[in-house]
Amino acid sequence: ALCYVHERNFDEALRHAHAAVACASEYGEGWRTLCNIAEQVGDYELARVAGEKCVRLMPSNHFAWFGYGVAMSRLHRFEEALEAYKRALALKPDRADIWDNLGQTYQSLNKLDEAEATFLKTVEVAGQIIPNEDSREVEEEEYGNRHWHLALIELLRGKYKSGFARYRARFQDVGGLRRVAYSRPLWKGEDLSGKTILISDEQGFGDTLMLYRYIPLLKKRGARIKLAVHPALAALFREGTEADEVLVHDVATGEYDFHASVFDLPYRFGTTLDSVPSNIPYLPQLEPDDATRLPQKDQEQFRVGVVWGGSPLHKNDANRSIPLADFREIFAEGGARVSYYSFNRDMKAGDAELLPHLNITDLAPLLTDFAASARLIRQMALVVTCDTATAHLAGGLGKKVWTLLPFAPDWRWLSDRSDSVWYPTMRLFRQPRHRDWKTVIREVRYALKTAVQNGNV
């Protein structure tokens, strides 16, 4: 089985692991192998069953408890995962990866004090403590990979000064991220008067839309700006942009003096919780054209754009996306006065069959790029969305936007507040418990009903 895992032939690996435990049902290592393979292929229930057998047979094996903890985490049974990781650490307290998983599990439970303390311990156990970190400029290369989750929890808690500094650890073998090897030096705050800087996008569309707010600040420093982005974003930024030149990936960049990622900019501008650039709108205000202009419906007073699900490729999509069967309750509010428009491009199982039967107009065929989406959002009174790029697009356009968040949210939304430091026109609706979308939907429906009654959607 292990040989097939090495060859990434998981079907054969799983078959042989099953055969091994069938031949020797009391062989703990066989169950551990089956647990690990099942977790890799996404059969988390099988991983749980195998993990339970493994820890029963090998209660003094830290590998067994770690694998069982991973299975419980995948099933979102976080309390049980906590206990498994603690049992593993009692046996092997010098394993940084177990401490790291324990910290992530605390974060999933929104136990942020415990999460931060555990990530600090992870850094210590990994031997990655940085001397005099609080009193000097730390070079990017000094951060080890175990600083990554500590950075995210610091940002989530609003500790932006240390969080954005530590966020540079993302290039230390974290999730496959790598700095592009550009020919010119990385910008580290040098004078940009008369200089050209190449700014590249990074990670998701929403990240680029959120961080575009720093481009005007670079312009104020006298820079000539080249902006390199995904083709889906290029049309938006080419109209009314602060950038002097908008490029797409894999196109020759030409001459420039410095380069930086959009995610370098919050750190280089010394962003704190009180100094987030929040002047809106900062994204280009594109007027509807013939392809995107929406006809007025009879009795329609308010247009509400909605997004209930994001890309299934996003690592946190299972938590951030909302089942359409739950989300559709929103469409009952407002009667003929409110028209609902779907900006949802990624359909989950059953969505395509359900959507035609709902009180909503599907705009997916018109969403050819972010410029088209921006033109359509300009025609909405309100956007109601889960945590996707649409939230950033609507917020950057200065539209009223309600963003529906999972119990353990992304760092940029902070915690325990209903507003956003990044978008003044945004209201946040948070899950009170893990995967409790029904309560969130009830709160949104009440807010929408009130807004319609008051005529201020």
Side-chain angles (χ1 to χ4, degrees), residues 63-111:
F63 291 110
W65 285 106
F66 180 68
Y68 182 51
V70 171
M72 292 296 97
S73 295
R74 296 286 189 251
L75 290 169
H76 301 279
R77 293 168 60 167
F78 297 120
E79 294 289 357
E80 292 163 280
L82 276 184
E83 291 308 309
Y85 292 138
K86 289 177 181 178
R87 291 288 296 270
L89 286 169
L91 296 164
K92 189 68 171 174
D94 60 349
R95 272 190 64 180
D97 57 341
I98 304 178
W99 284 105
D100 193 64
N101 278 31
L102 179 65
Q104 291 183 67
T105 307
Y106 277 129
Q107 187 171 343
S108 296
L109 291 166
N110 251 344
K111 297 181 176 181

Side-chain angles (χ1 to χ4, degrees), residues 299-318:
Q299 298 181 287
E300 175 186 76
Q301 294 182 26
F302 305 108
R303 290 171 172 162
V304 176
V306 299
V307 179
W308 61 88
S311 169
L313 300 178
H314 191 282
K315 65 179 181 179
N316 198 39
D317 190 60

